[in-house]
Each structure stands twice: as structure tokens, then as C-alpha cells.
């Protein structure tokens, strides 16, 4: 089977990692011939990725129509290229989330573009959701049938965390134990402010380390929240860090916190588990499905629940050790080889359905 997979270097880290790992596994399957379809990344600020996700995808699909048996778009945004596009080749789209379509999203530009790729999604032949929660959102919003919609969990690349930086690098950054760790963007849906507010009810030596791109406005709002709750000196924003330093940050943290209001999957909690870090996570959307019983779950809008969970880890050594053990066990539910095998089965199913 010849499968054309669209690859866009400008894709976000989560989607980019999914595409890279899936392609790597598919290339090891004898029955699959992968054709990597490079989607041009237009260097246009803000609008660049949207242009490449629509015009760029459509142009590349036309070029490869006679070379593949099936197209796979590994991101829902690429479905914008399916608007007014007719092809006899089946198209499968991986949907990571449709958050801008089903929540009160604060990014008007992204919300508007989501309405564009929603139209394209309706022209796909099959859908792979990365969680049951995303699948339910998709079925409710797009009104697709269960016959061509599937759920396949992605994974994380555990090998990335086998080497960690030395403790001295933390000291160089002004980070000392004990600290809570958050990894991700600081947009409003990530809800970092809930953990910041929880800090004021925790011992004063506990800090919050925030890793990832702050963004201009979200980063400012994080600082504002810290000032508002009287914990300004206890919130450290590092920006992006290399994978070895990230591994060290996970390993040395008192706990990893993930207070997001909305997730289609939620990869960082699994990364924390891979590094032996207890996880305190949101009880909202897809996250409970992904973490199972391997995390302490808290309401995203109740700061006292988060501070209570941290205090439990501080006061009960057995709880901490139990969460670490459960985290390692939970990781066994996710692996890239299984993801690839299930994806191939979906390809075969879609091909059979569209040619019969």
C-alpha cells in the first residue's frame, strides 16, 4: 500500500512529533510504502501556517494523486486543503483536538481558521482521533458516522529522556528544590493561573517552574497572576529548554502539575511519568482518560484542590512512591509500534470501504 503523508516543518511540537514517530514506525512495515509529501511552510507571520495548511496541502495532493493509494493528513488543520478538492484517492485525517470549535477560545484568528478546516474535515473519508474525548467532540461537531471514525492513542518517545542534565544547571537558572513543574504554553486554556493561586497556600520555599514559550501576552498574564496572588518571586519562567535539561527538571520536581481547561490528549503528564515524577492533573476533558489512576486529579478551577494535593505528596511519602510506580505502569498503555499497526489497519479499512 502506497501512503502519502503530509509533512509540515512548521507544525507544532506535539503534531510534529506525532508525524515523525508515526512515519518512522510505518517505514518498518513491509506492506507500507511511505511517500513523504512536504508541505511548504510559507514565511508569513501569523498567517503562514494557515496558508500552508490550505493552499499548500491542496497543491501537493494534486501532484501526488497518481503516486499513492491513500492520503494521510496528520493534523486537522491540514484538512483546510480539502475544501473544493475532488480526488478519487481516499483521505484520512488525524484529529488531535477541535478545541477552537467546541470551547470559548480566546484566539479569534485561530477560531476563525478552525471554522475553515471544519469544512474541509467534512470531505475526508476517515478520521483518527487521538483520544475518546476528541472522538466524541468530532462526532458531535462534524456529525460523522462511527463507521469511518477511529481512536488510536499516540505515545511519547521515552528514549528522549534517558540522559538528563546535571543538577548544577538548575542552580545556574536560579531553580532550587522543592519546586512544582509545568511544561507547555501559557495561553488561557492551559490555566496556569490556578496553580499560581494555589502557591499562596503552600510553604514559601515551594516555587513553580514554568517551561515553554511564554508568548507575549500570555507570558505577561502569568507574571500578573503571580503579582496578584503575592507569589511573584516564586514563579520562574524558563522559556524553551533542551531535552536533557527538561529531563532533569522533571526528575528533580516535587510534582508535575497540569491544570489545563481543555486537552485533546495531554502528552506532558506522560513525559513526567517517564521521568519518575508524580503527576497532579486536571480532571477536565481528555486528561483523566490518558492518565488513568496514575495521577492525582483536581478540578481546573479549584486552587485549594491543587494545594491540598501538593501537601499530600509532601506529608505522605507512600503516596509519592505509589504515584511514581503507577506512572511507570501507565506508560505501558502507549507505544508507537502499536499506534502504527492500528493506523495501518485503519488504512486498509478505509480503502475497503471506499472501493467496495
Amino acid at each position: 500500500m502506497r501512503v502519502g503523508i503530509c509533512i509540515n516543518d512548521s507544525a507544532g511540537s506535539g503534531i510534529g512529533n506525532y508525524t515523525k514517530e508515526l512515519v518512522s514506525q510505518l517505514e518498518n512495515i513491509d506492506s507500507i510504502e511511505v511517500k513523504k509529501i512536504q508541505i511548504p511552510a510559507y514565511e508569513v507571520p501569523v498567517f503562514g501556517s494557515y496558508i500552508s495548511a490550505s493552499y499548500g496541502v491542496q497543491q501537493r495532493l494534486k501532484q501526488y494523486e497518481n503516486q499513492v493509494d491513500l492520503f494521510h493528513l496528520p493534523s486537522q488543520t491540514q484538512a483546510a486543503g480539502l475544501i473544493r478538492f475532488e480526488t478519487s484517492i481516499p483521505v484520512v485525517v488525524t484529529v488531535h483536538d477541535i478545541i477552537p470549535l467546541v470551547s470559548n477560545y480566546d484566539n479569534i484568528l485561530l477560531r476563525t481558521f478552525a471554522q475553515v478546516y471544519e469544512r474541509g474535515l467534512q470531505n475526508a473519508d476517515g478520521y483518527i482521533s487521538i483520544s475518546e474525548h476528541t472522538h466524541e467532540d468530532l462526532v458531535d461537531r462534524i456529525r460523522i458516522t462511527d463507521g469511518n471514525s477511529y481512536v488510536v492513542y499516540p505515545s511519547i518517545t521515552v528514549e528522549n529522556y534517558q540522559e538528563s542534565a546535571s543538577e548544577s544547571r538548575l542552580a545556574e537558572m536560579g531553580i532550587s528544590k522543592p519546586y512544582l513543574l509545568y511544561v507547555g504554553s501559557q495561553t488561557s486554556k492551559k490555566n496556569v493561573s490556578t496553580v499560581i493561586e494555589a502557591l499562596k497556600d503552600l510553604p514559601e520555599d515551594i516555587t513553580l517552574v514554568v517551561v515553554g514559550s511564554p508568548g507575549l501576552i500570555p507570558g505577561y498574564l502569568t507574571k500578573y497572576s503571580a503579582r496578584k496572588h503575592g507569589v511573584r518571586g516564586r514563579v520562574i519562567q524558563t522559556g524553551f529548554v533542551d531535552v536533557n535539561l527538561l529531563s532533569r527538571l522533571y526528575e528533580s520536581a516535587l510534582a508535575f502539575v497540569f491544570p489545563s481547561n481543555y486537552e485533546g490528549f495531554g502528552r506532558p503528564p506522560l513525559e513526567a511519568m517517564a521521568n519518575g515524577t508524580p503527576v497532579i492533573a486536571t480532571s477536565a476533558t481528555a486528561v483523566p482518560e490518558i492518565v488513568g489512576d496514575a495521577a492525582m486529579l483536581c478540578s481546573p478551577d479549584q486552587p485549594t484542590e491543587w494545594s491540598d494535593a501538593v501537601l499530600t505528596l509532601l506529608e505522605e511519602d507512600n503516596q509519592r512512591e505509589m504515584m511514581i510506580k503507577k506512572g511507570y505502569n501507565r506508560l505501558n498503555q502507549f507505544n508507537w509500534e502499536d499506534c502504527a499497526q492500528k493506523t495501518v489497519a485503519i488504512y486498509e479499512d478505509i480503502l475497503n470501504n471506499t472501493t467496495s
Side-chain angles (χ1 to χ4, degrees):
M1 183 194 312
R2 301 169 302 168
V3 179
I5 300 183
C6 293
I7 298 172
N8 187 341
D9 290 337
S10 67
S13 59
I15 294 174
N17 184 68
Y18 166 82
T19 306
K20 175 185 174 183
E21 295 294 342
L22 178 62
V23 167
S24 177
Q25 291 293 331
L26 291 175
E27 289 178 330
N28 293 328
I29 299 176
D30 292 339
S31 62
I32 299 297
E33 178 186 348
V34 176
K35 290 188 177 293
K36 301 176 186 177
I37 304 175
Q38 190 70 43
I39 306 301
Y42 293 88
E43 298 299 328
V44 182
V46 181
F47 294 98
S49 61
Y50 302 161
I51 295 172
S52 64
S54 52
Y55 178 78
V57 168
Q58 191 166 114
Q59 293 303 305
R60 288 295 190 264
L61 295 187
K62 289 178 180 178
Q63 292 176 13
Y64 280 83
E65 269 190 294
N66 297 323
Q67 302 178 43
V68 301
D69 302 305
L70 178 142
F71 286 120
H72 184 176
L73 310 185
S75 167
Q76 66 276 0
T77 60
Q78 294 173 340
L82 301 180
I83 296 176
R84 298 192 183 93
F85 177 66
E86 295 183 3
T87 178
S88 60
I89 307 300
V91 180
V92 176
V93 181
T94 295
V95 181
H96 297 261
D97 65 66
I98 53 172
I99 294 172
L101 295 173
V102 296
S103 67
N104 186 22
Y105 206 68
D106 58 356
N107 187 321
I108 296 176
L109 180 62
L110 185 53
R111 193 166 66 230
T112 301
F113 178 64
Q115 293 169 352
V116 174
Y117 68 68
E118 178 183 17
R119 291 173 55 200
L121 280 171
Q122 295 169 353
N123 294 331
D125 298 286
Y127 309 87
I128 300 174
S129 296
I130 63 171
S131 68
E132 291 288 351
H133 188 275
T134 294
H135 168 75
E136 291 169 5
D137 277 350
L138 186 64
V139 170
D140 290 343
R141 178 75 187 198
I142 310 296
R143 303 297 181 187
I144 60 177
T145 63
D146 281 336
N148 63 347
S149 182
Y150 310 80
V151 175
V152 179
Y153 290 139
S155 184
I156 62 167
T157 308
V158 176
E159 292 77 13
N160 288 345
Y161 307 102
Q162 291 182 344
E163 294 185 15
S164 58
S166 66
E167 289 270 2
S168 62
R169 287 193 64 184
L170 301 187
E172 292 169 2
M173 300 171 68
I175 298 172
S176 59
K177 300 178 183 179
Y179 64 86
L180 304 174
L181 178 66
Y182 166 79
V183 177
S185 72
Q186 296 170 47
T187 57
S188 61
K189 80 178 182 71
K190 295 296 186 178
N191 195 36
V192 181
S193 60
T194 287
V195 178
I196 292 175
E197 185 174 351
L199 270 183
K200 63 185 176 61
D201 295 323
L202 294 171
E204 291 187 0
D205 61 337
I206 295 179
T207 58
L208 172 64
V209 177
V210 180
V211 175
S213 174
L216 182 59
I217 295 177
Y220 170 79
L221 292 177
T222 296
K223 294 177 181 177
Y224 171 78
S225 180
R227 288 197 302 269
K228 175 183 176 182
H229 296 293
V231 293
R232 181 178 181 181
R234 297 168 61 189
V235 177
I236 303 169
Q237 296 170 288
T238 69
F240 284 115
V241 300
D242 62 69
V243 68
N244 290 344
L245 179 54
L246 179 60
S247 184
R248 169 54 60 192
L249 285 164
Y250 274 126
E251 290 176 8
S252 299
L254 170 63
F256 174 75
V257 289
F258 200 60
S260 181
N261 282 317
Y262 205 112
E263 292 292 330
F265 183 78
R267 187 177 62 163
L270 297 182
E271 292 179 348
M273 293 175 189
N275 284 279
T277 309
V279 174
I280 306 173
T282 179
S283 59
T285 62
V287 176
E289 172 190 346
I290 303 308
V291 300
D293 67 348
M296 303 172 71
L297 298 180
C298 301
S299 173
D301 59 357
Q302 296 295 324
T304 55
E305 291 187 19
W306 294 81
S307 56
D308 287 346
V310 174
L311 290 172
T312 297
L313 288 177
L314 279 172
E315 297 166 0
E316 301 179 19
D317 289 340
N318 290 342
Q319 177 74 8
R320 178 180 173 81
E321 294 305 316
M322 179 180 69
M323 297 311 299
I324 292 173
K325 183 177 180 180
K326 284 186 174 182
Y328 284 134
N329 290 336
R330 185 64 182 171
L331 289 174
N332 294 328
Q333 304 296 316
F334 308 91
N335 71 80
W336 286 116
E337 183 177 355
D338 182 59
C339 175
Q341 293 288 351
K342 289 179 177 178
T343 299
V344 170
I346 291 169
Y347 293 162
E348 294 170 346
D349 202 17
I350 296 298
L351 278 172
N352 289 335
N353 290 341
T354 54
T355 57
S356 59

